[in-house]
């Protein structure tokens, strides 16, 4: 770290600590993760398998962007996961519509939203990033682009998801249940052995959403943001509230000011709580962040959010702290 940067970092933290006694110091910044590389972290329990999918690339000194793409593909391909890829719960009309985005160490980004019939939206997002002058393709345009690039079209509505949808139709009550109906999105962040950061996020979104609804997961700055100078962040939970505060971008900017990853995630959670006092008890949002030096942290509104960490010395699932305890 340059002298100037070091000064800014400790200066900001020192100032914060003086202004509000509960704010972090640099030593507690290490609490949730030592500096280390390579390292990969991802949301929820299924992050363990996804991290295992990403790890061989990181262990072979590969690029973080290749690792995160490969890692989240494991979750997209799992028919038992009801919020990502094949097997995702459909919208209220019975259509499985997928959202995904990816960012690399050069801060290139690619995204697809409201994509149907393609099992690996993350790889379509990667193609948008690598092969087009655009950042985001949606709906029919995204599907056509995917087919042109050789992706196979398939029915993503599994019998299990169809049965759940038909059951929902009997009540038609749209009230996502905390940690249940919207808990499987995968957001993954990695730091490779060259010290470069990348991230990926992929989901079928909120179950029983309106046709055409897009959440935070494919929105650069909301569901995912990477700044290779500073850090990366991703989100899970009810996307409308993540979009409203530009969650992932906010967290990376807080890290730029010197906040450790966990404290930056906590501040984003508290922003939602402060601004949406009437809503927050009924919704879950979880954030996950990774710094340029390999420190990581997470925070959620409610308990129940966990995340997976894999490095040379770790392979574990960690319970995130939460606002409501
Ligand atoms: C969305 N954020 O579409 C996604 C859903 C999610 O864990 O994250 N589920 O709102």
């Amino acid at each position: 770290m340059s002298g100037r940067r070091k000064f800014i970092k400790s200066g900001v933290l020192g100032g914060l600590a003086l202004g509000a006694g509960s704010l972090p110091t640099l030593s507690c910044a290490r609490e949730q993760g030592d500096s280390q590389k390579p390292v990969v972290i991802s949301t929820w329990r299924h992050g363990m398998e996804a991290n295992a999918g990403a790890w061989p690339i990181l262990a072979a000194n590969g690029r973080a962007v290749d690792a995160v793409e490969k890692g989240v593909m494991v979750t997209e391909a799992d028919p038992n996961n009801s919020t990502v890829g094949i097997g995702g719960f459909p919208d209220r009309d019975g259509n499985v519509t997928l959202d995904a985005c990816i960012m690399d160490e050069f801060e290139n980004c690619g995204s697809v939203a409201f994509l149907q019939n393609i099992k690996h939206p993350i790889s379509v997002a990667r193609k948008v990033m690598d092969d087009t002058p655009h950042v985001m393709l949606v709906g029919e345009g995204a599907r056509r682009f995917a087919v042109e690039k050789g992706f196979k079209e398939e029915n993503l509505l599994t019998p299990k998801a169809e049965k759940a949808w038909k059951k929902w139709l009997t009540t038609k009550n749209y009230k996502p249940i905390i940690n249940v109906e919207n808990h499987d999105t995968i957001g993954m962040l990695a730091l490779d052995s060259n010290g470069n950061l990348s991230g990926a996020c992929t989901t079928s979104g909120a179950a029983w959403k309106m046709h055409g609804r897009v959440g935070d997961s494919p929105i650069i700055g909301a569901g995912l943001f990477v700044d290779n100078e500073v850090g990366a962040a991703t989100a899970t939970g009810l996307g409308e509230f993540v979009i409203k505060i530009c969650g992932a971008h906010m967290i990376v900017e807080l890290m730029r000011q010197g906040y450790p990853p966990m404290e930056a995630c906590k501040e984003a959670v508290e922003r939602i709580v402060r601004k949406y006092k009437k809503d927050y008890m009924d919704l879950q949002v979880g954030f996950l962040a990774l710094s340029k030096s390999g420190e990581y942290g997470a925070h959620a509104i409610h308990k129940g959010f966990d995340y997976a960490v894999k490095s040379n010395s770790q392979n574990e699932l960690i319970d995130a702290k939460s606002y409501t305890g």
Side-chain angles (χ1 to χ4, degrees):
M1 190 185 290
S2 75
R4 185 169 172 272
R5 265 184 162 257
K6 199 169 175 182
F7 170 77
I8 291 171
K9 189 171 179 182
S10 44
V12 168
L13 282 174
L16 289 171
L18 279 176
S22 63
L23 278 166
T25 63
L26 272 177
S27 57
C28 89
R30 309 271 176 219
E31 221 171 57
Q32 281 207 309
D34 296 326
S35 300
Q36 54 183 338
K37 64 183 179 189
V39 58
V40 56
I41 62 176
S42 43
T43 53
W44 304 109
R45 179 170 295 270
H46 55 238
M48 296 294 286
E49 287 89 58
N51 286 355
W55 186 252
I57 295 176
L58 294 172
N61 299 327
R63 283 178 75 198
V65 70
D66 294 327
V68 294
E69 179 185 358
K70 195 77 172 189
V72 302
M73 283 174 76
V74 172
T75 324
E76 287 180 338
D78 178 359
N80 293 317
N81 181 308
S82 58
T83 318
V84 183
I86 189 159
F89 283 173
D91 64 19
R92 58 190 60 178
D93 302 331
N95 307 291
V96 179
T97 72
L98 304 179
D99 301 333
C101 74
I102 191 161
M103 265 187 99
D104 74 9
E105 71 272 33
F106 305 109
E107 289 107 29
N108 293 315
C109 21
S111 163
V112 289
F114 190 44
L115 173 65
Q116 295 183 57
N117 298 329
I118 306 286
K119 184 158 83 182
H120 288 301
I122 197 66
S123 299
V124 186
R126 175 83 192 257
K127 291 272 180 220
V128 173
M129 176 171 85
D130 288 346
D131 297 357
T132 81
H134 305 306
V135 164
M136 190 165 192
L137 293 178
V138 306
E140 175 57 12
R143 189 200 60 79
R144 256 173 32 204
F145 171 74
V147 170
E148 274 164 27
K149 289 289 172 186
F151 289 84
K152 192 176 96 203
E153 288 193 87
E154 57 192 296
N155 177 18
L156 302 178
L157 186 65
T158 58
K160 187 176 151 209
E162 187 173 8
K163 196 168 157 210
W165 169 59
K166 290 201 166 135
K167 185 165 173 233
W168 178 81
L169 284 177
T170 61
T171 61
K172 294 191 177 170
N173 182 22
Y174 182 73
K175 195 169 186 298
I177 304 167
I178 289 174
N179 293 338
V180 176
E181 274 176 1
N182 60 353
H183 82 117
D184 280 337
T185 290
I186 184 144
M188 176 180 279
L189 310 171
L191 177 71
D192 64 30
S193 56
N194 292 311
N196 287 319
L197 289 161
S198 293
C201 188
T202 176
T203 189
S204 56
W208 335 129
K209 61 194 174 184
M210 290 173 68
H211 188 58
R213 179 266 189 190
V214 170
D216 60 313
S217 303
I219 310 289
I220 299 294
L224 178 74
F225 196 68
V226 176
D227 185 322
N228 199 34
E229 288 177 8
V230 176
T234 190
T236 179
L238 199 58
E240 279 73 6
F241 290 85
V242 179
I243 293 173
K244 284 173 182 176
I245 65 154
C246 282
H249 184 260
M250 174 185 166
I251 290 166
V252 171
E253 290 308 304
L254 287 169
M255 288 197 283
R256 192 191 306 281
Q257 292 170 32
Y259 277 68
M262 204 251 296
E263 297 297 335
C265 293
K266 184 166 178 266
E267 180 62 27
V269 162
E270 288 175 1
R271 177 80 56 91
I272 294 175
V273 167
R274 275 201 306 277
K275 290 202 179 273
Y276 302 100
K277 288 192 187 65
K278 287 203 304 289
D279 304 300
Y280 81 86
M281 281 308 287
D282 294 327
L283 66 98
Q284 174 66 307
V285 168
F287 292 111
L288 188 57
L290 177 65
S291 78
K292 180 75 175 165
S293 61
E295 293 167 328
Y296 56 81
H299 209 78
I301 297 179
H302 301 289
K303 71 169 188 266
F305 173 45
D306 46 23
Y307 64 102
V309 180
K310 170 96 186 101
S311 69
N312 281 316
S313 58
Q314 266 180 293
N315 187 23
E316 60 183 304
L317 192 66
I318 299 176
D319 283 327
K321 296 209 169 94
S322 62
Y323 179 81
T324 56

